């Protein structure tokens, strides 16, 4: 992923230096386990640890790979240059390349999951804070982009919190799903390596042994992992699109923070554009673009091919680095987001009283009017408000059919905003477990 959309801790996980360090630890721990089993001499296993503080030379490994055309062999050759050819002769004994590659890849994915989980918790904190801050800040709810009925800005933040809380659970499950390793040898039968070696290596790396591998770790695990990232990305876009709509000039109920010296347009100095949330929409597309390739990686030939390898070299870093950046960016947007309660009320009253139509409809039916007639009475008065910007309540009070069923006091009561916020506390308890 390009530096513009990258953060250093996540990038470091995917660096060649980190990868080769993990490869080294897999090989060294495997040697220890084989020495414990008496398969190789103890002194050879200990000799491998002479490289524990070595910074592996990426350029040198690339130079060897240019000849061998095999990345794992290139690394093992370079390792022997540090450990000694004779001392290193038992390294990788009974193992196959996928034992190193797949176990390393899963270690990296687990580490990325830990960062993403932490990112998500920070986003949840921001969403909760803003939800409590605007718990009773009334705004109009919209369906199909059209005024529907009143809600609150706090409920908007709360529903995003609930969605991201589900995503936290998805990330935790994705981490669990991917936290396996395999040191099972060619075609996964352990013919040339004891299962105890796998158990030892996995324990040292914080993984569980893969119950059954076929030279590769099953890719349904990876498909589930990247699918979870895709869902998180879609939720990021869900929030971003709402903020973008709120910032539209005709709406302006909320907006991204606009910093001192920031410019919105090279041509129009008045512009304040929702560039961060538009960026988040684009980044979400990139994360989701990893999901289908990950699904297609599940089907490999027989016990193994490497059609998945080139895909994972790209989607592993790109999807996790991008999602990390997006979660951090969204947290910043939520933290600093500007909210305009006065505009919310102005928008709601753009067609005075119109959003209370359902209350009047229900009152008429409860007063004995058929639903069909009640709907007709309410709609004909609502259409006047749409067309002439009159006051809905005044139109109702002037309608003899309505007044024959409801008193002026009963109509007046139907325009109480508090009616629409009476269960906000209940919803907040459901979401946050507190009032």
């Amino acid at each position: 992923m390009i530096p513009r959309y990258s953060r250093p801790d996540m990038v470091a996980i995917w660096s060649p230096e980190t990868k080769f360090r993990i490869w080294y630890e897999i090989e060294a721990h495997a040697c220890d386990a084989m020495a414990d089993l008496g398969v190789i001499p103890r002194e050879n296993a200990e000799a491998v640890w002479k490289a524990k503080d070595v910074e592996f030379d990426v350029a040198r490994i690339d130079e060897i790979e240019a000849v061998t055309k095999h990345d794992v062999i290139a690394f093992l050759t370079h390792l022997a240059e540090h450990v000694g050819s004779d001392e290193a002769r038992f390294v990788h004994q009974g193992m196959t390349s996928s034992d190193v590659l797949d176990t390393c890849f899963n270690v990296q994915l687990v580490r990325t999951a830990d960062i993403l989980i932490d990112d998500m918790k920070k986003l949840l904190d921001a969403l909760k804070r803003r939800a409590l801050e605007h718990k009773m800040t009334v705004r109009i709810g919209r369906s199909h982009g059209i005024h529907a009925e009143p809600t609150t800005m706090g409920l908007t933040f709360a529903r995003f919190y609930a969605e991201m809380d589900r995503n936290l659970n998805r990330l935790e499950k994705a981490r669990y799903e991917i936290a396996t390793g395999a040191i099972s040898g060619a075609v996964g039968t352990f013919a040339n390596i004891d299962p105890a070696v796998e158990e030892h290596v996995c324990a040292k790396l914080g993984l569980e042994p893969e119950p059954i591998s076929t030279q590769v770790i099953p890719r349904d695990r990876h498909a589930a992992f990247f699918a979870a990232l895709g869902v998180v990305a879609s939720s990021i876009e869900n929030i971003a699109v709402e903020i973008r709509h709120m910032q539209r000039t005709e709406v302006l109920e909320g907006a991204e923070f606009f910093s001192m010296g920031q410019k919105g347009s090279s041509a129009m100095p008045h512009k304040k554009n929702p560039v961060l949330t538009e960026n988040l929409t684009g980044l979400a597309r990139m994360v989701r673009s990893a999901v289908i390739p990950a699904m297609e990686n599940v089907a490999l030939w027989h016990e193994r091919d490497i059609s998945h390898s080139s895909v994972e070299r790209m989607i592993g870093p790109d999807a996790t680095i991008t999602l990390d950046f997006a979660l951090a960016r969204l947290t910043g947007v939520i933290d600093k987001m500007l909210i305009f309660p006065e505009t919310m009320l102005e928008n709601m009253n753009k067609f005075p009283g119109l959003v209370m139509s359902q209350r009047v409809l229900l009152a008429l039916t409860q007063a004995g009017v058929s639903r069909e007639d009640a709907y007709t009475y309410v709609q004909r008065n609502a259409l006047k408000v749409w067309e002439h910007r009159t006051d809905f309540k005044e139109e109702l009070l002037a309608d003899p059919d309505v007044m024959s069923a409801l008193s002026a006091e009963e109509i007046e009561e139907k325009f109480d905003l508090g009616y629409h916020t009476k269960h906000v506390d209940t919803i907040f308890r459901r979401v946050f477990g507190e009032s």
Side-chain angles (χ1 to χ4, degrees):
M1 180 48 58
I2 62 175
R4 187 181 185 92
Y5 305 126
S6 304
R7 301 205 305 159
D9 288 349
M10 188 66 88
V11 171
I13 292 173
W14 297 107
S15 71
E17 292 81 4
T18 298
K19 179 183 71 174
F20 292 135
R21 173 55 47 181
I22 298 170
W23 286 12
Y24 167 73
E25 291 175 1
I26 292 169
E27 297 286 4
H29 289 310
C31 286
D32 280 346
M34 286 187 277
D36 290 342
L37 294 168
V39 174
I40 69 171
R42 172 64 59 187
E43 56 267 27
N44 287 82
E46 291 175 352
V48 177
W49 288 106
K50 290 193 299 183
K52 65 183 178 66
D53 296 321
V54 167
E55 292 187 12
F56 296 108
D57 188 337
V58 176
R60 173 60 181 151
I61 296 171
D62 289 343
E63 179 186 353
I64 299 169
E65 186 181 353
V67 177
T68 64
K69 305 296 190 293
H70 196 290
D71 52 357
V72 175
I73 292 175
F75 170 75
L76 294 173
T77 302
H78 181 54
L79 177 61
E81 292 175 341
H82 288 283
V83 175
S85 180
D86 185 61
E87 290 89 340
R89 71 183 188 276
F90 295 111
V91 173
H92 204 68
Q93 179 156 302
M95 296 168 60
T96 188
S97 296
S98 292
D99 291 334
V100 178
L101 297 171
D102 281 14
T103 302
C104 173
F105 189 45
N106 281 12
V107 169
Q108 290 172 300
L109 292 178
V110 166
R111 293 179 184 178
T112 66
D114 288 337
I115 291 177
L116 295 172
I117 287 168
D118 184 63
D119 291 341
M120 185 63 74
K121 290 178 179 178
K122 291 174 181 174
L123 175 57
L124 286 168
D125 287 343
L127 288 167
K128 181 177 180 180
R129 179 176 63 80
R130 300 313 300 267
L132 293 172
E133 178 185 354
H134 291 285
K135 183 177 181 179
M136 291 297 181
T137 301
V138 177
R139 68 185 293 235
I140 187 62
R142 296 171 173 88
S143 55
H144 306 276
I146 308 300
H147 284 198
E149 292 193 348
T151 181
T152 77
M153 192 63 216
L155 288 177
T156 301
F157 281 124
R159 70 180 166 90
F160 290 145
Y161 176 96
E163 183 172 348
M164 286 301 180
D165 192 48
R166 293 190 293 273
N167 281 325
L168 174 61
N169 181 257
R170 291 179 181 114
L171 287 175
E172 290 170 341
K173 288 181 177 177
R175 185 194 188 283
Y176 172 81
E177 180 97 28
I178 209 66
T180 68
I183 310 291
S184 54
V187 303
T189 61
F190 296 102
N192 297 301
I193 193 165
D194 195 292
V197 176
E198 180 183 78
E199 293 171 7
H200 177 82
V201 172
C202 287
K204 291 294 184 180
L205 296 176
L207 305 175
E208 292 294 324
E210 182 62 45
I212 178 169
S213 55
T214 59
Q215 191 159 330
V216 294
I217 292 174
R219 257 44 194 184
D220 63 287
R221 293 186 180 275
H222 302 77
F225 183 89
F226 286 99
L229 303 193
V231 174
V232 174
S234 292
S235 293
I236 289 173
E237 183 178 12
N238 187 28
I239 298 175
V241 166
E242 176 65 19
I243 295 171
R244 289 168 60 192
H245 280 309
M246 290 178 69
Q247 191 163 336
R248 289 165 54 216
T249 307
E250 296 82 359
V251 180
L252 204 57
E253 295 179 356
E256 297 175 10
F257 178 76
F258 199 79
S259 62
M260 185 65 69
Q262 183 175 344
K263 305 294 189 290
S265 166
S266 65
M268 296 167 284
H270 70 277
K271 296 293 291 294
K272 287 186 176 183
N273 300 332
V275 293
L276 299 179
T277 44
E278 288 176 344
N279 170 252
L280 287 171
T281 296
L283 295 179
R285 294 170 184 166
M286 295 309 299
V287 175
R288 286 196 299 269
S289 72
V291 177
I292 295 301
M295 298 286 183
E296 292 174 341
N297 278 352
V298 174
L300 301 177
W301 283 20
H302 302 296
E303 278 62 48
R304 181 236 187 179
D305 65 48
I306 62 165
S307 60
H308 62 289
S309 176
S310 57
V311 175
E312 290 171 351
R313 288 175 192 267
M314 289 186 276
I315 68 172
D318 284 1
T320 55
I321 291 172
T322 304
L323 188 59
D324 169 54
F325 181 89
L327 284 168
R329 169 154 285 183
L330 180 58
T331 300
V333 169
I334 297 298
D335 264 330
K336 296 182 178 181
M337 185 178 171
L338 304 176
I339 304 297
F340 306 119
E342 297 83 4
T343 310
M344 292 178 180
L345 289 176
E346 289 174 9
N347 286 342
M348 187 162 55
N349 294 319
K350 187 173 183 179
F351 297 91
L354 193 62
V355 297
M356 302 299 185
S357 69
Q358 183 177 191
R359 287 209 69 196
V360 180
L361 171 66
L362 296 176
L364 287 170
T365 60
Q366 290 165 358
V369 180
S370 72
R371 181 172 178 84
E372 292 76 14
D373 286 344
Y375 199 101
T376 298
Y377 301 162
V378 173
Q379 187 181 45
R380 73 189 180 202
N381 287 291
L383 290 175
K384 294 177 185 178
V385 181
W386 273 114
E387 294 168 8
H388 305 294
R389 298 292 180 94
T390 54
D391 186 289
F392 184 53
K393 182 168 60 176
E394 297 303 320
E395 295 290 350
L396 293 171
L397 291 170
D399 188 314
D401 290 326
V402 174
M403 294 303 295
S404 67
L406 299 174
S407 68
E409 291 76 16
E410 287 173 321
I411 291 175
E412 180 72 33
E413 187 271 333
K414 300 303 178 285
F415 289 82
D416 175 24
L417 268 178
Y419 174 86
H420 292 278
T421 60
K422 62 180 180 291
H423 292 305
V424 170
D425 283 336
T426 299
I427 299 170
F428 265 57
R429 281 192 295 272
R430 289 181 173 185
V431 174
F432 301 111
E434 58 191 62
S435 60

